[in-house]
Amino acid sequence: MSVHHAISAHSASQAEYIVLYRKLDVMREVRIERAIEQYQAGEAVDLASINEVTQQINQLAQRHHLPPRKFVTAAMIESTNK
């Protein structure tokens, strides 16, 4: 394989990880917004589903030099109370 093909293959692979990272980040943000709405409505909040996605993001981040995300705590959700 030529150097050009190797570099192209590496770039394509990196692009795939970045796309996956962004999709997971959007999914995390949607879940955070839903948790805030649930908290404000007095409903139970499921942080496990948020932090499951956060864990996936952080695994990608660690392997591919992307920024990690903080795990979400109840205090974080409560601090958004309006």
Side-chain angles (χ1 to χ4, degrees), residues 17-28 53 57:
Y17 293 124
I18 292 170
V19 168
L20 176 57
Y21 178 92
R22 287 180 179 161
K23 285 181 181 179
L24 288 170
D25 202 38
V26 168
M27 183 185 303
R28 179 178 179 268
V53 175
I57 289 170

Side-chain angles (χ1 to χ4, degrees), residues 11-81:
S11 294
S13 176
Q14 285 297 104
E16 287 178 27
Y17 293 124
I18 292 170
V19 168
L20 176 57
Y21 178 92
R22 287 180 179 161
K23 285 181 181 179
L24 288 170
D25 202 38
V26 168
M27 183 185 303
R28 179 178 179 268
E29 291 301 318
V30 167
R31 290 180 184 192
I32 290 170
E33 287 300 318
R34 177 67 183 132
I36 291 169
E37 291 169 3
Q38 289 172 325
Y39 174 75
Q40 291 174 345
E43 300 171 10
V45 176
D46 178 22
L47 298 178
S49 69
I50 298 168
N51 287 325
E52 179 181 307
V53 175
T54 303
Q55 178 65 30
Q56 293 173 20
I57 289 170
N58 289 344
Q59 287 172 348
L60 277 174
Q62 186 175 25
R63 286 189 303 246
H64 303 288
H65 308 289
L66 298 166
R69 297 293 185 243
K70 290 184 179 184
F71 286 97
V72 177
T73 65
M76 290 173 170
I77 299 297
E78 292 166 6
S79 72
T80 64
N81 197 15

Side-chain angles (χ1 to χ4, degrees), residues 5-15:
H5 289 289
I7 292 171
S8 294
H10 177 74
S11 294
S13 176
Q14 285 297 104

